[in-house]
Amino acid sequence: MAPVLNRLRRAQGQLAGVISMVESGRDCKDVVTQLAAVSRALDRAGFKIVASGMRQCLADDSPDAPPMSEAELEKLFLALA
């Protein structure tokens, strides 16, 4: 989970930068560019979480846990869109 936390912390820092830019009246183009970087960082963290979850679901041989359906996996990916 450390890589996910690192990506989320990076996005958190970038978002703080965007807020500061907006508060200081920076140029809209600069704000949007930085906001796009935040979006990419969050997407990467989300994909990492989904990939980790998929790995866990696929490796889980526990009879108590129901297998994740293809529809559920698709829903996870679409939630990031």
Side-chain angles (χ1 to χ4, degrees):
M1 225 18 133
V4 171
L5 290 175
N6 288 339
R7 289 177 181 177
L8 290 174
R9 286 187 182 111
R10 181 177 301 130
Q12 181 182 27
Q14 290 171 324
L15 186 56
V18 169
I19 292 168
S20 177
M21 290 170 76
V22 171
E23 290 175 339
S24 67
R26 292 279 299 270
D27 180 63
C28 181
K29 183 178 177 182
D30 293 338
V31 172
V32 170
T33 300
Q34 186 62 28
L35 192 55
V38 173
S39 179
R40 283 189 302 276
L42 288 173
D43 286 347
R44 291 178 58 85
F47 288 133
K48 184 69 171 173
I49 290 168
V50 171
S52 297
M54 284 181 56
R55 186 178 321 114
Q56 181 181 4
C57 289
L58 294 174
D60 190 5
D61 292 333
S62 172
D64 300 338
M68 186 172 282
S69 71
E70 193 171 306
E72 290 171 310
L73 290 173
E74 182 179 359
K75 186 176 178 179
L76 283 175
F77 279 113
L78 290 175
L80 296 172

Coordinates of all heavy atoms in Angstrom, one line a residue:
M1 N 0.8 -1.2 0.0 CA 0.0 0.0 0.0 C 0.9 1.3 0.0 O 0.3 2.3 -0.2 CB -0.9 0.0 1.2 CG -2.3 0.3 1.0 SD -3.1 0.3 -0.5 CE -4.5 -0.6 -0.2
A2 N 2.1 1.1 0.3 CA 3.0 2.3 0.3 C 3.0 3.1 -1.0 O 3.0 4.3 -1.0 CB 4.4 1.9 0.7
P3 N 3.1 2.4 -2.2 CA 3.1 3.2 -3.5 C 1.8 4.0 -3.6 O 1.8 5.1 -4.1 CB 3.2 2.1 -4.5 CG 3.8 0.9 -3.9 CD 3.3 1.0 -2.5
V4 N 0.6 3.4 -3.2 CA -0.6 4.1 -3.3 C -0.6 5.4 -2.4 O -1.0 6.5 -2.8 CB -1.8 3.2 -2.9 CG1 -3.1 4.0 -2.7 CG2 -2.0 2.1 -3.8
L5 N -0.1 5.2 -1.1 CA 0.0 6.3 -0.2 C 0.9 7.4 -0.8 O 0.6 8.6 -0.7 CB 0.5 5.9 1.1 CG -0.6 5.1 1.9 CD1 0.0 4.5 3.2 CD2 -1.8 5.9 2.2
N6 N 2.0 7.0 -1.4 CA 2.9 8.0 -2.0 C 2.2 8.8 -3.1 O 2.4 10.0 -3.2 CB 4.2 7.3 -2.5 CG 5.1 6.8 -1.4 OD1 5.0 7.3 -0.3 ND2 5.9 5.9 -1.8
R7 N 1.5 8.1 -3.9 CA 0.8 8.8 -5.0 C -0.3 9.7 -4.5 O -0.5 10.8 -5.0 CB 0.2 7.7 -6.0 CG 1.3 7.0 -6.8 CD 0.7 6.0 -7.7 NE 1.8 5.3 -8.4 CZ 1.7 4.3 -9.2 NH1 0.5 3.8 -9.4 NH2 2.7 3.8 -9.8
L8 N -1.0 9.3 -3.4 CA -2.0 10.1 -2.9 C -1.4 11.3 -2.2 O -2.0 12.4 -2.3 CB -2.9 9.3 -1.9 CG -3.8 8.3 -2.5 CD1 -4.5 7.5 -1.4 CD2 -4.9 8.9 -3.4
R9 N -0.3 11.1 -1.5 CA 0.4 12.3 -0.9 C 0.9 13.3 -1.9 O 0.8 14.5 -1.7 CB 1.5 11.8 0.0 CG 1.0 11.2 1.3 CD 2.1 10.8 2.2 NE 1.6 10.2 3.4 CZ 1.7 8.9 3.8 NH1 2.5 8.1 3.0 NH2 1.2 8.4 4.8
R10 N 1.4 12.7 -3.1 CA 1.8 13.6 -4.1 C 0.6 14.4 -4.7 O 0.8 15.6 -4.9 CB 2.4 12.8 -5.3 CG 2.9 13.6 -6.4 CD 3.6 12.8 -7.5 NE 4.7 12.1 -7.0 CZ 4.9 10.8 -7.2 NH1 4.1 10.1 -7.9 NH2 6.0 10.2 -6.7
A11 N -0.5 13.8 -4.9 CA -1.7 14.5 -5.3 C -2.1 15.5 -4.3 O -2.5 16.6 -4.7 CB -2.8 13.5 -5.6
Q12 N -2.0 15.2 -3.0 CA -2.4 16.1 -2.0 C -1.5 17.4 -2.0 O -2.0 18.5 -1.9 CB -2.3 15.4 -0.6 CG -2.7 16.3 0.6 CD -2.5 15.6 1.9 OE1 -1.7 14.7 2.0 NE2 -3.3 15.9 2.9
G13 N -0.3 17.2 -2.2 CA 0.7 18.3 -2.3 C 0.4 19.1 -3.5 O 0.4 20.4 -3.5
Q14 N 0.1 18.5 -4.6 CA -0.2 19.2 -5.9 C -1.5 20.0 -5.7 O -1.6 21.1 -6.2 CB -0.3 18.2 -7.0 CG 1.0 17.6 -7.4 CD 0.9 16.5 -8.5 OE1 -0.1 15.7 -8.4 NE2 1.9 16.4 -9.4
L15 N -2.5 19.4 -5.1 CA -3.8 20.0 -4.9 C -3.6 21.3 -4.0 O -4.2 22.3 -4.2 CB -4.8 19.1 -4.3 CG -6.2 19.6 -4.1 CD1 -6.8 20.1 -5.5 CD2 -7.1 18.6 -3.6
A16 N -2.8 21.2 -3.0 CA -2.5 22.3 -2.1 C -1.9 23.4 -3.0 O -2.2 24.6 -2.8 CB -1.5 21.9 -1.0
G17 N -1.0 23.1 -3.9 CA -0.4 24.0 -4.8 C -1.5 24.7 -5.7 O -1.4 25.9 -5.9
V18 N -2.4 23.9 -6.2 CA -3.5 24.5 -7.0 C -4.3 25.5 -6.2 O -4.7 26.6 -6.6 CB -4.4 23.4 -7.6 CG1 -5.7 24.0 -8.2 CG2 -3.7 22.5 -8.6
I19 N -4.7 25.1 -5.0 CA -5.4 26.0 -4.1 C -4.7 27.3 -3.9 O -5.3 28.4 -4.0 CB -5.8 25.3 -2.8 CG1 -6.8 24.2 -3.0 CG2 -6.3 26.3 -1.7 CD1 -7.0 23.2 -1.8
S20 N -3.4 27.2 -3.6 CA -2.6 28.4 -3.4 C -2.5 29.3 -4.7 O -2.6 30.5 -4.6 CB -1.2 28.0 -3.0 OG -0.3 29.1 -2.9
M21 N -2.5 28.6 -5.8 CA -2.4 29.4 -7.1 C -3.7 30.1 -7.3 O -3.7 31.3 -7.7 CB -2.2 28.4 -8.2 CG -0.8 27.8 -8.3 SD -0.6 26.5 -9.5 CE -0.6 27.4 -11.0
V22 N -4.9 29.5 -7.0 CA -6.2 30.1 -7.2 C -6.3 31.3 -6.2 O -6.7 32.4 -6.6 CB -7.3 29.1 -7.0 CG1 -8.7 29.8 -6.9 CG2 -7.3 28.1 -8.1
E23 N -5.9 31.1 -5.0 CA -6.0 32.1 -3.9 C -5.1 33.3 -4.3 O -5.5 34.4 -4.0 CB -5.6 31.6 -2.6 CG -6.6 30.6 -2.0 CD -6.2 29.9 -0.7 OE1 -5.0 29.9 -0.4 OE2 -7.1 29.4 0.0
S24 N -4.0 33.1 -4.9 CA -3.1 34.2 -5.2 C -3.4 34.8 -6.6 O -2.7 35.7 -7.0 CB -1.6 33.7 -5.2 OG -1.4 32.8 -6.2
G25 N -4.4 34.3 -7.3 CA -4.9 34.9 -8.5 C -4.0 34.6 -9.7 O -3.9 35.4 -10.7
R26 N -3.3 33.4 -9.7 CA -2.5 33.0 -10.8 C -3.3 32.8 -12.1 O -4.5 32.7 -12.1 CB -1.8 31.7 -10.5 CG -0.7 31.8 -9.4 CD 0.6 32.3 -9.9 NE 1.2 31.5 -10.9 CZ 2.0 30.4 -10.7 NH1 2.4 30.1 -9.4 NH2 2.5 29.8 -11.7
D27 N -2.5 32.8 -13.2 CA -3.1 32.7 -14.5 C -3.9 31.4 -14.6 O -3.5 30.3 -14.1 CB -2.0 32.7 -15.5 CG -2.5 32.6 -17.0 OD1 -3.3 33.5 -17.4 OD2 -2.2 31.6 -17.6
C28 N -5.1 31.5 -15.3 CA -6.0 30.3 -15.4 C -5.2 29.2 -16.1 O -5.4 28.0 -15.7 CB -7.2 30.7 -16.2 SG -8.4 29.4 -16.4
K29 N -4.4 29.4 -17.1 CA -3.7 28.4 -17.8 C -2.8 27.6 -16.9 O -2.8 26.4 -16.9 CB -3.0 29.0 -19.0 CG -2.3 27.9 -19.8 CD -1.5 28.6 -21.0 CE -0.8 27.5 -21.8 NZ 0.0 28.1 -22.9
D30 N -2.1 28.3 -16.0 CA -1.2 27.6 -15.0 C -2.0 26.8 -14.1 O -1.6 25.7 -13.7 CB -0.4 28.7 -14.3 CG 0.6 29.4 -15.1 OD1 1.0 28.9 -16.2 OD2 1.0 30.5 -14.7
V31 N -3.1 27.3 -13.6 CA -4.0 26.6 -12.6 C -4.5 25.3 -13.3 O -4.4 24.2 -12.7 CB -5.1 27.5 -12.1 CG1 -6.1 26.6 -11.3 CG2 -4.6 28.6 -11.3
V32 N -5.0 25.4 -14.5 CA -5.6 24.2 -15.2 C -4.5 23.2 -15.4 O -4.7 22.0 -15.3 CB -6.3 24.6 -16.5 CG1 -6.6 23.4 -17.3 CG2 -7.5 25.5 -16.2
T33 N -3.3 23.6 -15.8 CA -2.2 22.7 -16.1 C -1.8 22.0 -14.8 O -1.6 20.7 -14.8 CB -0.9 23.5 -16.6 OG1 -1.3 24.1 -17.8 CG2 0.3 22.6 -16.8
Q34 N -1.8 22.7 -13.7 CA -1.4 22.0 -12.4 C -2.6 21.1 -11.9 O -2.4 20.0 -11.4 CB -1.2 23.1 -11.3 CG -0.7 22.5 -10.0 CD 0.6 21.7 -10.1 OE1 1.5 22.0 -11.0 NE2 0.8 20.8 -9.2
L35 N -3.8 21.5 -12.2 CA -5.0 20.7 -11.8 C -5.0 19.4 -12.6 O -5.3 18.3 -12.1 CB -6.3 21.5 -12.1 CG -7.5 20.9 -11.5 CD1 -7.4 20.6 -10.0 CD2 -8.7 21.8 -11.8
A36 N -4.5 19.5 -13.9 CA -4.4 18.2 -14.7 C -3.4 17.3 -14.1 O -3.6 16.1 -14.1 CB -4.0 18.6 -16.1
A37 N -2.3 17.8 -13.5 CA -1.3 17.0 -12.9 C -1.9 16.3 -11.7 O -1.6 15.1 -11.4 CB -0.1 17.8 -12.5
V38 N -2.7 17.0 -10.9 CA -3.4 16.4 -9.7 C -4.3 15.3 -10.2 O -4.3 14.2 -9.6 CB -4.2 17.5 -9.0 CG1 -5.1 16.8 -7.9 CG2 -3.4 18.6 -8.4
S39 N -5.0 15.5 -11.3 CA -5.9 14.5 -11.8 C -5.2 13.2 -12.2 O -5.6 12.1 -11.9 CB -6.7 15.1 -13.0 OG -7.6 14.1 -13.5
R40 N -4.0 13.4 -12.9 CA -3.2 12.3 -13.3 C -2.7 11.5 -12.1 O -2.7 10.3 -12.0 CB -2.1 12.7 -14.2 CG -2.5 13.0 -15.6 CD -1.3 13.2 -16.5 NE -0.4 14.3 -16.1 CZ -0.6 15.6 -16.4 NH1 -1.6 16.0 -17.1 NH2 0.3 16.5 -15.9
A41 N -2.3 12.2 -11.0 CA -1.8 11.6 -9.8 C -2.9 10.8 -9.1 O -2.7 9.7 -8.7 CB -1.2 12.6 -8.9
L42 N -4.1 11.3 -9.1 CA -5.2 10.6 -8.5 C -5.6 9.4 -9.3 O -5.9 8.3 -8.8 CB -6.4 11.5 -8.3 CG -6.3 12.6 -7.2 CD1 -7.5 13.5 -7.3 CD2 -6.2 11.9 -5.8
D43 N -5.6 9.6 -10.6 CA -5.9 8.4 -11.5 C -4.9 7.3 -11.3 O -5.2 6.1 -11.2 CB -5.8 8.8 -13.0 CG -7.0 9.6 -13.4 OD1 -8.0 9.7 -12.6 OD2 -7.0 10.2 -14.5
R44 N -3.6 7.7 -11.2 CA -2.5 6.6 -11.0 C -2.7 5.9 -9.7 O -2.6 4.7 -9.6 CB -1.2 7.3 -11.1 CG -0.8 7.7 -12.5 CD 0.6 8.4 -12.6 NE 1.6 7.5 -12.1 CZ 2.3 6.6 -12.9 NH1 1.9 6.4 -14.1 NH2 3.2 5.9 -12.3
A45 N -3.1 6.7 -8.6 CA -3.3 6.1 -7.3 C -4.5 5.1 -7.4 O -4.5 4.0 -6.9 CB -3.5 7.1 -6.3
G46 N -5.6 5.6 -8.1 CA -6.8 4.8 -8.2 C -6.5 3.5 -9.0 O -7.0 2.4 -8.6
F47 N -5.8 3.6 -10.1 CA -5.4 2.4 -10.9 C -4.6 1.4 -10.0 O -4.8 0.2 -10.1 CB -4.7 2.8 -12.1 CG -5.6 3.4 -13.2 CD1 -5.2 4.6 -13.8 CD2 -6.8 2.9 -13.5 CE1 -6.0 5.2 -14.8 CE2 -7.6 3.5 -14.4 CZ -7.2 4.6 -15.1
K48 N -3.7 2.0 -9.2 CA -2.9 1.1 -8.3 C -3.7 0.4 -7.3 O -3.6 -0.8 -7.1 CB -1.8 2.0 -7.6 CG -0.9 1.2 -6.8 CD 0.1 0.4 -7.6 CE 1.2 -0.3 -6.8 NZ 1.9 -1.2 -7.6
I49 N -4.7 1.1 -6.8 CA -5.6 0.5 -5.8 C -6.4 -0.6 -6.5 O -6.6 -1.7 -6.0 CB -6.6 1.5 -5.2 CG1 -5.8 2.4 -4.3 CG2 -7.7 0.9 -4.4 CD1 -6.5 3.7 -3.8
V50 N -7.0 -0.3 -7.7 CA -7.8 -1.3 -8.4 C -6.9 -2.5 -8.8 O -7.3 -3.7 -8.6 CB -8.4 -0.7 -9.6 CG1 -9.1 -1.8 -10.5 CG2 -9.5 0.3 -9.2
A51 N -5.7 -2.3 -9.2 CA -4.8 -3.4 -9.6 C -4.5 -4.2 -8.4 O -4.5 -5.5 -8.5 CB -3.5 -2.8 -10.3
S52 N -4.2 -3.6 -7.3 CA -3.9 -4.3 -6.1 C -5.1 -5.2 -5.6 O -5.0 -6.3 -5.2 CB -3.5 -3.4 -4.9 OG -2.3 -2.7 -5.3
G53 N -6.3 -4.6 -5.7 CA -7.5 -5.3 -5.4 C -7.8 -6.5 -6.3 O -8.2 -7.6 -5.8
M54 N -7.5 -6.3 -7.6 CA -7.7 -7.4 -8.5 C -6.7 -8.5 -8.2 O -7.1 -9.7 -8.2 CB -7.5 -6.9 -10.0 CG -8.6 -6.1 -10.5 SD -8.4 -5.6 -12.2 CE -8.0 -7.1 -13.0
R55 N -5.5 -8.1 -7.9 CA -4.5 -9.2 -7.6 C -4.9 -9.9 -6.4 O -4.8 -11.2 -6.3 CB -3.1 -8.5 -7.4 CG -2.0 -9.5 -7.2 CD -0.6 -8.9 -7.0 NE -0.4 -7.8 -7.8 CZ -0.2 -6.5 -7.4 NH1 -0.3 -6.3 -6.1 NH2 0.1 -5.5 -8.2
Q56 N -5.4 -9.2 -5.4 CA -5.9 -9.9 -4.2 C -7.1 -10.8 -4.4 O -7.1 -11.9 -3.9 CB -6.2 -8.8 -3.1 CG -6.6 -9.4 -1.8 CD -7.0 -8.3 -0.8 OE1 -7.0 -7.2 -1.1 NE2 -7.3 -8.7 0.4
C57 N -8.0 -10.3 -5.2 CA -9.2 -11.1 -5.5 C -8.8 -12.3 -6.3 O -9.4 -13.4 -6.1 CB -10.2 -10.2 -6.3 SG -11.0 -8.9 -5.4
L58 N -7.9 -12.2 -7.3 CA -7.6 -13.3 -8.1 C -6.7 -14.3 -7.3 O -6.8 -15.5 -7.6 CB -6.8 -12.9 -9.3 CG -7.6 -12.0 -10.3 CD1 -6.7 -11.5 -11.4 CD2 -8.8 -12.8 -10.9
A59 N -6.0 -13.9 -6.3 CA -5.1 -14.8 -5.6 C -5.8 -15.4 -4.4 O -5.4 -16.3 -3.8 CB -3.9 -14.0 -5.1
D60 N -7.0 -14.8 -4.0 CA -7.7 -15.3 -2.9 C -8.4 -16.6 -3.1 O -9.3 -16.7 -3.9 CB -8.7 -14.2 -2.5 CG -9.4 -14.5 -1.1 OD1 -8.9 -15.5 -0.4 OD2 -10.3 -13.8 -0.7
D61 N -7.9 -17.6 -2.5 CA -8.5 -19.0 -2.7 C -9.4 -19.3 -1.6 O -9.8 -20.5 -1.4 CB -7.4 -20.0 -2.8 CG -6.5 -19.9 -4.0 OD1 -7.1 -19.4 -5.0 OD2 -5.4 -20.3 -4.0
S62 N -9.7 -18.3 -0.8 CA -10.6 -18.6 0.4 C -12.0 -18.9 -0.1 O -12.6 -18.2 -0.8 CB -10.7 -17.3 1.3 OG -11.6 -17.4 2.3
P63 N -12.5 -20.1 0.4 CA -13.9 -20.5 0.0 C -14.9 -19.5 0.6 O -16.1 -19.5 0.2 CB -14.0 -21.9 0.5 CG -13.0 -22.0 1.6 CD -11.9 -21.0 1.3
D64 N -14.6 -18.8 1.7 CA -15.5 -17.9 2.3 C -15.8 -16.7 1.5 O -16.9 -16.1 1.6 CB -15.0 -17.5 3.7 CG -14.8 -18.7 4.6 OD1 -15.4 -19.7 4.4 OD2 -14.0 -18.6 5.6
A65 N -14.8 -16.2 0.7 CA -15.0 -15.0 0.0 C -15.5 -15.3 -1.4 O -14.9 -16.1 -2.1 CB -13.6 -14.3 -0.1
P66 N -16.6 -14.6 -1.8 CA -17.2 -14.9 -3.1 C -16.2 -14.2 -4.1 O -15.6 -13.2 -3.9 CB -18.5 -14.2 -3.1 CG -18.4 -13.2 -2.0 CD -17.4 -13.7 -1.0
P67 N -16.1 -14.9 -5.3 CA -15.2 -14.3 -6.3 C -15.8 -13.0 -6.9 O -17.0 -12.9 -6.9 CB -15.1 -15.4 -7.4 CG -16.3 -16.2 -7.2 CD -16.7 -16.1 -5.7
M68 N -14.9 -12.1 -7.3 CA -15.4 -10.9 -7.8 C -15.8 -11.1 -9.3 O -15.1 -11.7 -10.0 CB -14.3 -9.8 -7.8 CG -14.8 -8.4 -8.2 SD -13.6 -7.1 -8.0 CE -13.8 -6.9 -6.2
S69 N -17.0 -10.7 -9.6 CA -17.5 -10.9 -11.0 C -16.8 -9.9 -11.9 O -16.3 -8.9 -11.5 CB -19.0 -10.7 -11.0 OG -19.3 -9.4 -10.9
E70 N -16.9 -10.2 -13.2 CA -16.4 -9.4 -14.3 C -17.1 -8.0 -14.2 O -16.5 -7.0 -14.4 CB -16.6 -10.0 -15.6 CG -15.8 -9.4 -16.7 CD -15.8 -10.2 -18.0 OE1 -15.5 -11.4 -18.0 OE2 -16.2 -9.6 -19.0
A71 N -18.4 -8.0 -13.9 CA -19.2 -6.8 -13.8 C -18.7 -5.9 -12.7 O -18.6 -4.7 -12.8 CB -20.7 -7.1 -13.7
E72 N -18.3 -6.5 -11.6 CA -17.8 -5.8 -10.4 C -16.5 -5.2 -10.8 O -16.2 -4.0 -10.4 CB -17.7 -6.7 -9.2 CG -19.0 -7.1 -8.6 CD -18.9 -8.1 -7.5 OE1 -18.2 -9.1 -7.7 OE2 -19.5 -7.9 -6.5
L73 N -15.6 -5.9 -11.4 CA -14.3 -5.4 -11.8 C -14.5 -4.2 -12.8 O -13.8 -3.2 -12.7 CB -13.4 -6.5 -12.5 CG -12.9 -7.6 -11.6 CD1 -12.3 -8.7 -12.4 CD2 -12.0 -7.0 -10.5
E74 N -15.4 -4.4 -13.8 CA -15.6 -3.3 -14.7 C -16.1 -2.1 -14.0 O -15.7 -1.0 -14.3 CB -16.7 -3.8 -15.7 CG -17.0 -2.7 -16.8 CD -18.0 -3.2 -17.8 OE1 -18.5 -4.4 -17.7 OE2 -18.3 -2.4 -18.7
K75 N -17.0 -2.2 -13.0 CA -17.5 -1.1 -12.3 C -16.4 -0.4 -11.5 O -16.4 0.9 -11.5 CB -18.6 -1.6 -11.3 CG -19.3 -0.5 -10.6 CD -20.4 -1.0 -9.7 CE -21.1 0.1 -8.9 NZ -22.1 -0.4 -8.1
L76 N -15.4 -1.1 -11.0 CA -14.3 -0.5 -10.3 C -13.5 0.4 -11.3 O -13.2 1.5 -11.0 CB -13.4 -1.5 -9.7 CG -13.8 -2.2 -8.4 CD1 -12.8 -3.3 -8.1 CD2 -13.9 -1.2 -7.3
F77 N -13.2 -0.1 -12.5 CA -12.5 0.6 -13.4 C -13.3 1.9 -13.9 O -12.7 2.9 -14.0 CB -12.1 -0.2 -14.6 CG -10.9 -1.1 -14.4 CD1 -11.0 -2.4 -14.3 CD2 -9.6 -0.5 -14.2 CE1 -9.8 -3.2 -14.1 CE2 -8.5 -1.2 -14.0 CZ -8.6 -2.6 -13.9
L78 N -14.6 1.7 -14.2 CA -15.4 2.8 -14.6 C -15.5 3.9 -13.6 O -15.7 5.1 -13.9 CB -16.8 2.3 -15.1 CG -16.8 1.5 -16.4 CD1 -18.2 0.9 -16.6 CD2 -16.3 2.3 -17.5
A79 N -15.4 3.5 -12.3 CA -15.5 4.5 -11.2 C -14.4 5.5 -11.3 O -14.5 6.6 -10.8 CB -15.5 3.8 -9.9
L80 N -13.3 5.1 -12.0 CA -12.1 6.0 -12.1 C -12.3 7.0 -13.2 O -11.5 7.9 -13.3 CB -10.8 5.2 -12.2 CG -10.5 4.3 -11.1 CD1 -9.3 3.4 -11.4 CD2 -10.2 5.2 -9.9
A81 N -13.2 6.7 -14.1 CA -13.4 7.6 -15.3 C -14.0 8.9 -15.0 O -14.7 9.1 -14.1 CB -14.2 6.8 -16.3

